[in-house]
Amino acid sequence: MPLRIGLTAWRHLAARHPLAYGPQLWGMVFPLAMYTTGTLRLSDALALPFLTLIPQVTVWVALIAWLGTTTAMCLHLVRRYRPTADITTERWP
C-alpha cells in the first residue's frame, strides 16, 4: 500500500498528471478496501487486537476514496451522455 500511495502522489503532484476520472482509478481504490478488510480479518484470525487500529483508520480513507471515485464517475457519465440540442439550427414548421 505505501508504494501504491507513493506512486499515485508522485503521478499527480510531481509529474503534474491531471486528476481526471478514468476506469484505472478503480484499480487504485479497490486495493484500499481489500487492505482494510484483509487486515481486519488477519487481526481476528491471529487474535492480535492491536492490528485493528489499522482498519479503523484505513476504512475512512477507503470510504472517502470510493465516494470520490464514484462521484467522479457519475459526473463523467453525466457530462459525456448529456443530450445536446442546438436550438439555432433546429427548424420549426
Side-chain angles (χ1 to χ4, degrees), residues 13 21 28 32 44 48 54 57 63 78 81 85:
L13 299 175
Y21 175 76
M28 290 186 265
L32 290 172
D44 289 342
L48 299 172
I54 296 170
V57 173
L63 182 63
V78 166
Y81 296 109

Side-chain angles (χ1 to χ4, degrees), residues 12-48:
H12 295 293
L13 299 175
R16 305 260 186 225
H17 191 272
L19 187 60
Y21 175 76
Q24 71 275 10
L25 284 179
W26 290 109
M28 290 186 265
V29 172
F30 183 75
L32 290 172
M34 292 309 299
Y35 177 75
T36 301
T37 305
T39 305
L40 183 63
R41 295 296 172 211
L42 179 67
S43 70
D44 289 342
L46 299 179
L48 299 172

